[in-house]
Amino acid sequence: MMSAAGDTVHVLPVVNALKRHRPSAHITWVLQPGPATLVRGHRSIDEILLFERSRGWRAFADVRRALASKTFDLVINLQVYLKAGVITALARAPVKLGFDRARARDLNWLITTHRIPARAPQHVQDQYFEFLHYLGVPPEPVVWDIGPWPDERAWQREFFLSFERPVVPIVVATSKPEKDWLPERWAEVVDALWHDFGLEPVLVGGQSPRELHARAVINERARHRPRSALGSGLRRLLAIIDGSALMLSPDTGPLHMAVAIDRPVVSLMGYTNPKRSGPY
């Protein structure tokens, strides 16, 4: 699974279930650098091989070299696109499990040796659990165990010391512009949180041009200027969500991080299907 933070969160219960079923299993995860920061050091992950998408085709050569000395009993291809198919083909294993022909794209189904049965669309978390069912591994209890880690608690306590009200992180943008909400409307929400509900809004996310633009518009339009924690990184963002009363988010990774640590979250869904990618 070489995708973004949200899918990384959805894979964790699969990894935990596999480790719970076979504690001696050695689990290697091929993952992009950004999401890797979220799960590096996780108790169920023995090894992470980085897929540096920014390197283009050289990224595949890098992974090929990393896989050259390794042999696996099982490869699970949780993605349906060409890049995952190429990595699946490079990995040496007698069993390569992937999606059925109807769901696999880019001829991915030709690369796998075994495929889960076709079925109707469902939430992406349950879709990944189909792989566990095929392998005879119970997914329950559904456990993410994503943190915050003990050594992150000191930073979390220091962050919240300056707040006198319950905190509400607002995810101001996503990886796709069409998923974003208009920043001037976020400005109205900021004022409502502060003046009507007695809550402290905090802007969270990365520092992309769209996120910085959204912050500028919100600061210009809102009567109450919210605090900004943009660019805090995924691990510190998790600590912020964990200590907050509520989170507001479009369809993006932090939404699923909030679910994983059992924090209340309100999700704004635009063109995406909440039955597939809404809060689980």
Side-chain angles (χ1 to χ4, degrees):
M1 169 56 70
M2 301 176 293
S3 194
D7 282 324
T8 301
V9 172
H10 289 135
V11 171
L12 276 178
V14 176
V15 172
N16 285 327
L18 290 169
K19 202 73 166 183
R20 186 169 60 240
H21 183 74
R22 185 69 62 84
S24 62
H26 183 94
I27 295 180
T28 299
W29 191 342
V30 183
L31 186 59
Q32 290 181 173
T37 65
L38 183 62
V39 297
R40 184 173 281 110
H42 193 281
R43 60 176 175 82
S44 294
I45 303 167
D46 299 287
E47 181 181 26
I48 293 176
L49 300 182
L50 293 181
F51 176 79
E52 307 246 13
R53 187 174 63 174
S54 62
R55 287 175 54 79
W57 285 105
R58 290 177 297 175
F60 294 97
D62 294 341
V63 175
R64 181 181 183 179
R65 283 192 293 271
L67 291 172
S69 61
K70 301 178 185 297
T71 302
F72 302 96
D73 298 295
L74 168 68
V75 172
I76 302 177
N77 182 0
L78 290 158
Q79 289 187 281
V80 297
Y81 299 108
L82 177 62
K83 63 179 182 180
V86 172
I87 300 302
T88 300
L90 293 174
R92 293 185 296 172
V95 178
K96 299 181 179 182
L97 179 62
F99 279 101
D100 54 279
R101 183 172 180 175
R103 286 181 284 182
R105 303 178 189 179
D106 300 335
L107 301 179
N108 238 298
W109 59 276
L110 288 174
I111 297 168
T112 52
T113 63
H114 296 68
R115 288 160 287 279
I116 61 175
R119 62 163 297 154
Q122 56 182 335
H123 195 283
V124 66
Q125 185 70 78
D126 291 315
Q127 180 175 276
Y128 293 162
F129 287 158
E130 293 179 49
F131 287 81
L132 294 177
H133 292 308
Y134 183 92
L135 295 168
V137 176
E140 295 85 9
V142 178
V143 175
W144 287 269
D145 192 22
I146 197 172
W149 314 133
D151 62 356
E152 296 170 329
R153 292 295 185 185
W155 182 90
Q156 183 189 46
R157 287 192 295 269
E158 183 177 353
F159 177 83
F160 283 99
L161 274 178
S162 61
F163 294 99
E164 296 180 356
R165 299 183 177 197
V167 170
V168 179
I170 296 175
V171 182
V172 296
T174 71
S175 60
K176 297 180 179 180
E178 56 268 32
K179 286 185 179 183
D180 293 356
W181 209 38
L182 299 177
E184 54 266 34
R185 296 184 183 172
W186 278 129
E188 295 181 36
V189 172
V190 163
D191 284 336
L193 291 171
W194 178 266
H195 295 290
D196 300 340
F197 296 97
L199 299 169
E200 177 82 61
V202 176
L203 308 183
V204 297
Q207 289 187 312
S208 68
R210 279 189 296 109
E211 288 163 308
L212 296 177
H213 171 73
R215 180 177 66 184
V217 172
I218 293 168
N219 286 340
E220 178 184 347
R221 299 208 174 203
R223 287 179 292 148
H224 169 74
R225 184 168 183 151
R227 301 201 200 184
S228 174
L230 295 181
S232 56
L234 288 176
R235 290 306 310 175
R236 288 186 171 180
L237 174 56
L238 185 82
I240 293 171
I241 298 170
D242 178 70
S244 298
L246 167 71
M247 191 178 79
L248 307 180
S249 175
D251 177 14
T252 188
L255 158 68
H256 306 295
M257 291 163 61
V259 172
I261 55 177
D262 198 26
R263 301 312 301 149
V265 57
V266 177
S267 173
L268 295 168
M269 310 297 290
Y271 74 95
T272 50
N273 181 358
K275 292 183 179 179
R276 183 183 185 277
S277 57
Y280 185 64

